[in-house]
Amino acid sequence: EEASLSAEPRYRHWKVKANDRAYHHLPEFQRKVFLCIKKSKYSGNAIKTYKYNVLTFLPLNLFEQFKRAANLYFLGLLILQVIPQISTLPWYTTLVPLVLVLSITAMKDLVDDLARHRMDKEINNRKCEVLLDGRFQESKWRHIQVGDVVRLKKNDFIPADILLLSSSNPNSLCYVETAELDGETNLKFKMGLRVTDERLQEESQLARFDALIECEEPNNRLDKFTGTMLWRRERYPLDLDNMLLRGCKIRNTDFCHGLVIFAGADTKIMRNGGKTRFKRTKIDELMNYMVYTIFVLLILVAAGLAIGHTFWYEEIGSKAWYLYDGKDEDASYRGFLSFWGYIIVLNTMVPISLYVSVEVIRLGQSKFINWDLQMYFPEKDTPAKARTTTLNEQLGQIEYIFSDKTGTLTQNIMAFKKCTISGQTYGVFTFRDSQHRPVDFSWNRYADRKFQFMDHSLVALIRSRKDKDALEFFKLLSLCHTVMVEQKEDDLVYQAASPDEGALVTAARNFGYVFLSRTQDTITIREMDQETTYEMLALLDFNSDRKRMSIILRAPDGRIRLYCKGADTVIYERLSPNSRHKQSTQDALDRFANETLRTLCLCYRDVSRDEYDAWARKHKDASVTMTDREAALDRVYEQIENNLMLLGATAIEDKLQDGVPETIAKLAKADIKIWVLTGDKKETAENIGFSCELLTDDMQIHYGEDINEKLTVRQANRRNEPLSSGRNRKKAPEPFFPQPGKNALIITGGWLVSFAQGPRRPRCGEMLQVGRRAGIDFVDMACECEAVICCRVTPKQKANVVSLVKKYKKAVTLSIGDGANDVNMIKTADIGVGISGQEGMQAVMSSDYAFAQFRYLQRLLLVHGRWSYIRMCKFLRYFFYKNFAFTLVHFWYSFFSGYSSQVAYEDWFITIYNVLYSSLPVLLVGLLDQDVNDKLSLKFPKLYLPGQQGLLFNYKNFFISLFHGIFTSLIIFFIPYGAFLQTMGQDGEAPSDYQSFAVVTASSLVITVNLQISLDTSYWTFVNCFAVLGSIAIYFGIMFDIHSAGIHVIFPSIFTFTGAASNALRQPYLWLTIILTVGISLLPVICIQFLHKTIWPSVGDKVQRHRKKYEMEEEEKKKPPAFQRGQRSRRSAYAFSHSRGYADLISSGRSIRRRPAARGEQKETETLHWNQ
Amino acid sequence: MKEQQETANRPDNTAFTQQRLPAWQPMLSAGIVIPGFVIIGLAFIGIGIALFVTSQNIQVLERDYTGVENNSPCFKCSDPSTKNCVCKLDFSLDKLFEGPVFFYYGLSNYFQNYRKYGVSRDDRQLSGRLDNFQSPDEGCVPYQYDANNKPIVPCGSVANSLFNDTFKLYQIVNGARKLVPFDGKGIAWWTDHNVKYRNPSITPLKNAFNGTVKPTFWSKPAYELDPSDPANNGFVNQDFLVWMRRAALPDFRKLYRRITEGDYKNGLPAGNYSLEIAYNYPVLDFDGRKKVVFSNVSWMGGKNQFLGIAYLVIGSLCVVMSIVMLIVYAKFKFPDEE
């Protein structure tokens, strides 16, 4: 209600004039865009999702890249390096890698943006008919403007938010499919205003249309629209029922006319898109903080060394005549310069290639996801797709999954599976029909070929026409519903308000009871081979309180009969005492419930003429009641829906996708909590919860209402708490559900609103506080439950739930969905997964990962996510380590070189170290490493836990890497130092020159870090082997080349280490030094690792230890067919995805076309009001 | 064809794309680690003993001749104002100093590894490029041009600070001084002498230096370093080359001469010796020390006990740790399997 309040004052500002493009460019509608350039506030219909064009690409992209702290840092470094007073390393040591990094990223951005360009172009160039110059002309979407009158045809996408004026259907009715908007595939109807329906059918009339629409400003509310139309001096109210929203599709309507109200960026779907947020992983954040830490460390170290230099210069340097440099600078100024010099020398502590390496690894991991055959869905030829390449390791840290229901957990296919008629159950799988041959319906020319039924006995029963009840059962199914029918060529097409109903009517059709047509007061069906028309006396509509619907019919022979279908709970209360088969039907219902089929009870009642007349009068009275008409009607309905005779029950399967229960069970074992967020009704959602084993019979299910109580108590307690005790609020709050056992929570969107909106209400601080606490309480409580199901939630609410958990639990969340209604939630969650291969692509387009089946989620998380996480952690730990080990040698050397920022290695070694000598093995570990294979990863979901807890990479690990690096650098410097201090070579020449020293430290370093990564590699493929040996070989190869005579002759001042390698490495003494250095660097690590794994083995270590055994088991294992029968439960499996209102539509006759002449022997009525 | 259409997006089924590459998954199991440590430990101990024993057998004679102490023979020369000062350092050997004997000079607290000092040179000039004779590299400042704006060759601090003490060794035989012949050939790296440093190919060498001046600290220009031997003159002078190869640490030795000839082929016999030092190089300003060192070498080079001891310590630690690991492993061998 808040939005409407704020919208009210601005209400008058959105004015749209039909057929008057110039009107919208009047100065009063202009708004300042840039300086004095003004633009109409009405957006054009072109959408723009791309970021760059040809001109802006380079500057904008560079600007964006330099917004990253790391790039900016290296730019700063580059600038420092060209200042001659400071430069301690040649400029190319930074420029080359920086350019490399920038261009790789720019390339990636370019490819992404090109894809967006293509997409925009495709959409903007779609065709549509626009009324221009008095007639309809084909036009591109992007040329449509506010105020245009457009004509849409059947199956067209709606190009903008349009006011429906008229359509080819009576009363300007227009059906739309809103799958893209809310994910619901059943049709919705929209209606034109009466006045426009009557006067705007012809092109010429439309061309003269000049109404002024005043309405709310563009907003993102899909469920609300208010406005008025001023036409011919009269005002007409407009609401959402008159609006066709962009993103929907016209169905079952040959053509319709509309007036564009919001175009392009103003449309509700675009407004609803939510901002594209740049998603980052937890590790990204951590990594950034660590880089900052390193940076601070770098500054401290550099400052310390600069101070050291100041003192050293004061004491020694200034007196050393040989160091005279002709500059009259005092020691502190030299110290200052030395500070910058050290920043440059030690810059490799902040690894420049870190980010680009991380991106390469993530790219590779994404490719592995794309390539995975086990996430490829052959039926639709859809492979998994990692649409973002930046989030892979986050997949290994998921704590909460938010799942959509329809299309995600279920296939959104309702199948008539079983039924029980007069206590006899049909459709049960028996071993007699073991060949699985479905029933042959070819005897029935109306049969729907897609329909399958396994039980042959039922057909035989019906065709024999012996069992009256069975015939009545299917007659009921063909009569008692609100389905609409359409004759398409030779086929009947049913338009059902809910898929359940469609399934039931289709079942009846196949069994010989074909619903052929309806008028507002008749229903014609074909009973086996004879057409019968029933007069419909009353349609007692469905609603969620009544949980049933009834129809009162007069048969051709004059008998009046009431047919009713509904939930077992409400039907059983109203059964006649004479009704038979109650117990056997109840047993069947229980069995159905156990199999998580959705059930409905069917029953009838004969009504006498007098009784009906009496009731009809009451009904008429009630239907004109002014106050509380619905309640009055319900009471009247109640009076006739009693003494019912039970016929049987139907069982519909809401088909789950393959492997959903197994996946959920597996994920639950990995301590991932799964919340189902659905727009569906409570019953449906609960039913699905059971069928996918999210809910089990041993769970205590809590509903919104009892939760409210608990939350109120909690809040009251808090309020009563004295303020002084606020200090120790840290104490863990007592659990909401003190009693042992599993709990589940089922709440509705309406209930959620109060909490979801709480944090968003910034009006006053107190409210905010209350909202916040309520939010925390709710999230705390929900997190105590094993399962949470939120039903009847809007897309915005879905997103709000996700952000609540994200905010208060600081947890890593994943949303999975398939429809446009999941877009918000997908974008809000840390990771969004879209189910691809469905009709709507919106969810996929905004998702980070997309695949065809829900069951692939377990592989994505438990295998790819886990591997990615482990690999990334290993990679980062090692990467930090190798850079510390590398860089800090300079630090130790400083103490012996007068703090003069002398580097301990050759410049070329510094340039290439991160590129060639140490990068490939660790990159391969980041790409290929597996501690255990995919089968074991799936077998032991507990292996996923370290990722959730972030155990493999955190500040502790970072400091371990830091100390490990410090240790290695210490060894690498001081062992050669000790060996070099006073000695001479085999041939008497002093080997203690700087260049030999540099060769020895560099060789020790390269060998040490490469062996260290070998220790960290748990999956040795030939590539790894090749990389490790190759890195060391390349090091020696390049070193010998750089130190060769030839290259020095060509570039004497660039390659100055001539002969150093050959001279140094000829000495056995230096080899012994290298061996000792490497040994001391590695042996303690091995020792500590061994002890740690022996004393405190992790789950992973244990699995690894018995890897061989488990792998053998896995090979041998042949799963016995899961054949389980749960114990009986007394819960009702009633579920029906229906909503009220369709009866009105039918009985109003608005949707019904003239009857075909063939069947129209009765009165041809054009009257649109049905009077009793 | 239709088949292909339907599976157009099907990923390849290869070991690589499916992450099923054949791999070896080693574990740090007790069976590898513990024996490994023992073997490595023993090997290290072996190397350590060899190094230590070898090092013990190397003879080293080291004498400081800075002349800081009053009683030092070079005390008088340590005053910077005295020019062309010569001092004598006497010592005696009580047994044969086995040859070949190497004679080094050493400097302490001397920062040849100072960064700016190290880059103050022109490698193009030193490789004989005449362009750089006339315009030496910027890095040579303040030894790029002299006060008259004439280019300095060789330019830069390193060349400028060339060590210029000279030594002569006499054996005192029956009161008479017998010159011990020094061999100054091949004391620098072969690559330095033959590749890295080149004189311009102009004869006489002097002409190449036209228009240039010698480094300020030098007493004679580069082309007069050893006029007797063109292969030891100019930039390829062995002493110059030895100096130009910077030391890694502030406490270093540089090879001066070898004693390999004549009566001293087998080493320095026991007896009294006198070292005549032309004391030129000032080090006292910055608290430096100068020394001379006689040493012979083994397969492992000169005397250095550090490495041998380090090997012994690490080797023993490995053995100790292998025992510790064995105990720990035995204790935790069968942890509760859950």
Side-chain angles (χ1 to χ4, degrees), chain B residues 253-266:
Chain B
R253 300 166 179 182
K254 281 179 189 286
L255 185 57
Y256 186 71
R257 292 293 181 263
R258 260 187 274 243
I259 303 169
T260 52
E261 291 164 15
D263 300 339
Y264 303 95
K265 209 175 196 166
N266 297 321

Side-chain angles (χ1 to χ4, degrees), chain A residues 1046-1085:
Chain A
I1047 202 160
H1048 174 80
V1049 171
I1050 305 168
F1051 307 104
S1053 58
I1054 299 178
F1055 299 98
T1056 57
F1057 269 55
T1058 314
S1062 51
N1063 259 298
L1065 298 178
R1066 172 155 70 79
Q1067 317 262 0
Y1069 182 75
L1070 296 188
W1071 277 109
L1072 288 176
T1073 310
I1074 292 172
I1075 291 171
L1076 183 68
T1077 310
V1078 173
I1080 302 183
S1081 304
L1082 295 177
L1083 290 174
V1085 179

Side-chain angles (χ1 to χ4, degrees), chain A residues 744-787:
Chain A
L745 201 59
I746 297 182
I747 49 180
T748 58
W751 184 86
L752 259 176
V753 166
S754 53
F755 293 100
Q757 282 190 343
R760 284 194 307 149
R761 200 173 293 168
R763 226 169 272 160
C764 64
E766 201 187 345
M767 285 284 270
L768 192 77
Q769 271 300 310
V770 171
R772 220 180 85 80
R773 289 216 200 104
I776 294 173
D777 284 344
F778 163 65
V779 172
D780 280 348
M781 177 162 62
C783 293
E784 271 178 45
C785 298
E786 308 290 313

Side-chain angles (χ1 to χ4, degrees), chain B residues 164-230:
Chain B
N164 57 2
D165 284 2
T166 54
F167 307 91
K168 275 177 185 156
L169 182 64
Y170 297 97
Q171 189 184 11
I172 314 290
V173 186
N174 306 326
R177 302 204 310 170
K178 181 182 171 196
L179 184 69
V180 178
F182 277 163
D183 173 13
K185 285 208 180 77
I187 54 171
W189 286 13
W190 185 90
T191 44
D192 285 353
H193 190 256
N194 293 294
V195 180
K196 199 172 171 187
Y197 295 84
R198 300 276 74 200
N199 283 320
S201 46
I202 291 177
T203 40
L205 186 58
K206 184 174 183 299
N207 292 353
F209 287 79
N210 284 341
T212 67
V213 294
K214 65 178 172 61
T216 41
F217 181 70
W218 288 21
S219 53
K220 51 189 174 188
Y223 52 85
E224 282 173 15
L225 283 175
D226 187 358
S228 62
D229 181 4

Side-chain angles (χ1 to χ4, degrees), chain A residues 86-88 309 312-313 316 319-326 334 368 370-374 376 378 381 383 864 867 871 893 896-898 900-902 927-928 930-932 973-975 977-990 992-997 1015 1017-1023 1045 1048-1050 1052-1053 1056 1058-1060 1063 1068-1069 1072-1073 1075-1076 1079-1080 1083 1086-1087 1089-1091 1094-1095 1101-1102 1104-1107 1111, chain B residues 5-13 16-30 33-34 37 40 44 47 51 62 102 104 109-117 123-124 127 129 141-143 157 160-161 186-192 195-196 217 245-255 258 281-283 285-286 291 295 297-304 306-307 310-311 314 318 321 324-325 328-329 332-333 335-338:
Chain A
I86 293 169
S87 177
T88 45
H309 183 72
W312 180 88
Y313 193 79
I316 300 168
K319 294 169 192 155
W321 57 270
Y322 59 94
L323 296 180
Y324 174 69
D325 59 4
R334 283 166 190 274
F368 279 125
N370 297 349
W371 285 333
D372 195 339
L373 263 179
Q374 293 177 61
Y376 166 76
D381 191 25
H864 288 285
W867 278 348
R871 288 167 183 174
Y893 193 35
F896 303 92
S897 66
S900 61
S901 36
Q902 172 65 46
L927 286 171
L928 302 176
Q930 337 183 337
D931 52 345
V932 295
F973 179 75
F974 281 100
I975 297 296
Y977 171 81
F980 269 68
L981 196 54
Q982 281 178 345
T983 191
M984 50 283 302
Q986 218 178 1
D987 48 6
E989 288 165 7
S992 60
D993 69 294
Y994 165 72
Q995 296 192 340
S996 302
F997 184 79
L1015 279 180
T1017 307
S1018 39
Y1019 193 74
W1020 274 92
T1021 64
F1022 65 93
V1023 205
H1048 174 80
V1049 171
I1050 305 168
S1053 58
T1056 57
T1058 314
N1063 259 298
Y1069 182 75
L1072 288 176
T1073 310
I1075 291 171
L1076 183 68
I1080 302 183
L1083 290 174
I1086 298 176
C1087 183
Q1089 268 186 14
F1090 176 81
L1091 290 178
T1094 311
I1095 302 174
D1101 293 336
K1102 283 182 192 163
Q1104 245 175 327
R1105 196 178 297 159
H1106 305 289
R1107 182 172 52 80
E1111 274 170 12
Chain B
Q5 281 276 299
E6 276 168 4
T7 57
N9 296 324
R10 186 188 166 88
D12 294 337
N13 186 7
F16 174 66
T17 55
Q18 301 310 311
Q19 307 197 59
R20 280 188 276 104
L21 283 177
W24 176 53
Q25 290 180 263
M27 286 270 302
L28 283 180
S29 65
V33 175
I34 297 172
F37 262 68
I40 292 174
F44 273 25
I47 297 173
L51 280 172
E62 188 176 298
F102 296 85
Y104 303 86
N109 204 25
Y110 192 101
F111 289 82
Q112 250 202 326
N113 58 11
Y114 190 78
R115 187 181 65 82
K116 281 190 175 163
Y117 173 85
D123 283 295
R124 298 167 145 274
S127 64
R129 305 220 172 167
V141 173
Y143 304 107
S157 296
N160 183 59
S161 57
I187 54 171
W189 286 13
W190 185 90
T191 44
D192 285 353
V195 180
K196 199 172 171 187
F217 181 70
R245 184 148 286 281
R246 307 198 278 146
L249 298 166
D251 196 353
F252 60 87
R253 300 166 179 182
K254 281 179 189 286
L255 185 57
R258 260 187 274 243
Y281 207 71
V283 295
D285 304 340
F286 54 90
K291 59 197 169 207
S295 172
V297 297
S298 66
W299 62 270
M300 61 161 274
K303 190 181 186 85
N304 183 316
F306 171 84
L307 207 60
Y311 263 107
I314 300 302
C318 279
M321 280 322 290
V324 170
M325 285 190 285
V328 170
Y329 178 69
F332 289 89
K333 195 175 172 185
D336 297 339
E337 299 288 344
E338 270 147 281

Side-chain angles (χ1 to χ4, degrees), chain B residues 88-90 168-170 172 177 272-276:
Chain B
K88 285 194 184 107
L89 195 69
D90 295 331
K168 275 177 185 156
L169 182 64
Y170 297 97
I172 314 290
R177 302 204 310 170
N272 293 323
Y273 292 86
S274 170
L275 185 69
E276 199 178 280

